[in-house]
Amino acid sequence: MTGNPGGPPGGIADAKAPPARQVDQARSLLLGRRLSRPGLTILLATVLALAIRLFTLTRPGFLTGVSEYDDGVYLGAAIRLTQGALPYRDFAFIQPPGMVILAVPAAVIARLTSTTAAMAFARLLTVCASTACVPLAGNLVRYRGTLVTAVTCGILAIYPDDVAAAHTLLLEPWMNLFCLLAANAAFRHGRLDRPGRLAWAGAALGVAGAVKFWAVVPAATLLVVCIVVAEQRAPRVRAYLAGLVAGFVLPVAPLALAAPATFIRSTLFDQASRVGTFIPLSLRLAHVTGLIDVLNAHGKLSLLAGSRSLYAQSVLAGISSVSAGWLPFALVAVLIAVVAAGYRLLPGRPTALEWFALATAVLASVLILSYSAFFYHYPAFVAPWLALTAGGTAGALAGSRQFRRMFAGAFAAVILAVAVLQLTEVGPIGVSSSAATGRLIPPGACVVTDSTSVVVAADRFSSPRPGCPDIVDALATTLVLSHGVSIQGGAAKSASVVAAWRAMLGRADYVWLSGGNARRIPWTPALTAWFRASFRPVGPYNSGLGQLYVRGR
């Protein structure tokens, strides 16, 4: 007997089949039986997302240079943790400690090699965390078919501020990762899963909240969903809340209990009360809707802005205060109408997952549009929920099978065109390396800086010797000293805050001031005059790195 009579017709085991047919059978087995069309869509979108995010790190300086302020704070705090110093007790820190814990592997790299290598490692990890959100979002909706999956994954793969936030160690990619892990645990085919799975969902959302408190939005929304769904209501709510509390308390308590009053005041009140630079609502909406891909630095529509686009500016960790005009408002009105129509036409009625995604997208958008401060990475929080909502809407409005295929093809072409546009915009840009300036500082010297990133990238973030101020986050230091008053809010009017900064600067051997130091240090005419009399410049000034100073004239 020959062949494989017990197996499927045309099976791969048919050794007498022609070579071309064997290749076709192998391809069919790989793509048709092991990877469905939604699965293949998820894979392609994930590869695209990874390629775009990795491309940014290939630009000059982006892997080991100075490209952000926040990344130095989070990695610096993790390094201090491995050295025995605790946030809130030993140095100012205004975020929950989840990111500090997640960055510990990179901090270990710093102890074994250099802080420069640790930063590169942390950036690569963040790219992976951001990319992982694409298959997680796709897995939530793959039961709805290829089109819904493609729209969800495609939007998340190329969402401008999500890509920009993935270039270095920031909170939003990691918060989104745990939020989507929670959603995958909570929902199965759009419906709430059993209580045991909801316990894991709560634990993941608890960890997300330990990374950034904004995770309270999906956490509260999922709690409402658990309450509204009548089936197994009490067991589900109990399991979810138990997991949520455990997921938050276990990583937070060991560090928060070292200085509980300072933890509560700095992470809640000081953070919430700070005043940031005014950003027009039109520009915020341009970031949320993704229009920054086609707006130039003046807020005008332009497909040829290149490295002067608002998207390229975001990748460079910048945010302007220009008005984007009426276009973002018009686009938001259209999107609201389309989503409303889509949810009205959904077969049967929207599932629990679809209501959860829509509510989270709306609440998250309101949060970042109304918050006093606004930075380019904030809209990344909205990205997965907007993508899920758009996917469900597209599935409802697509209509016949032939139209769905046409729409899917057109959508794929748009996604690829946007990806090419983003690569074109990012291609010419680069950031400065602080290695040369760092070599002007003797190893082990006491360095005070308003931007920890510059000393981390220069491998001069050493363990502070006795008497040397430990300033990991200059902005947080000012906020904690002033009880939540930022520089923009008038921190320089407080004599005690200015005196504290003079005392800290006075104990330094070297002071490295970045170009944005005036937003973090409460300079007054008297403090400026004292500093100029006490320190002299070393090396050249660099617009991306600032100026290094040494004590003495």
Side-chain angles (χ1 to χ4, degrees), residues 210-236:
V211 173
K212 191 165 187 173
F213 284 151
W214 284 4
V216 70
V217 172
T221 305
L222 184 54
L223 176 60
V224 171
V225 173
C226 291
I227 294 173
V228 169
V229 175
E231 184 183 356
Q232 291 186 295
R233 177 182 297 157
R236 281 173 166 160

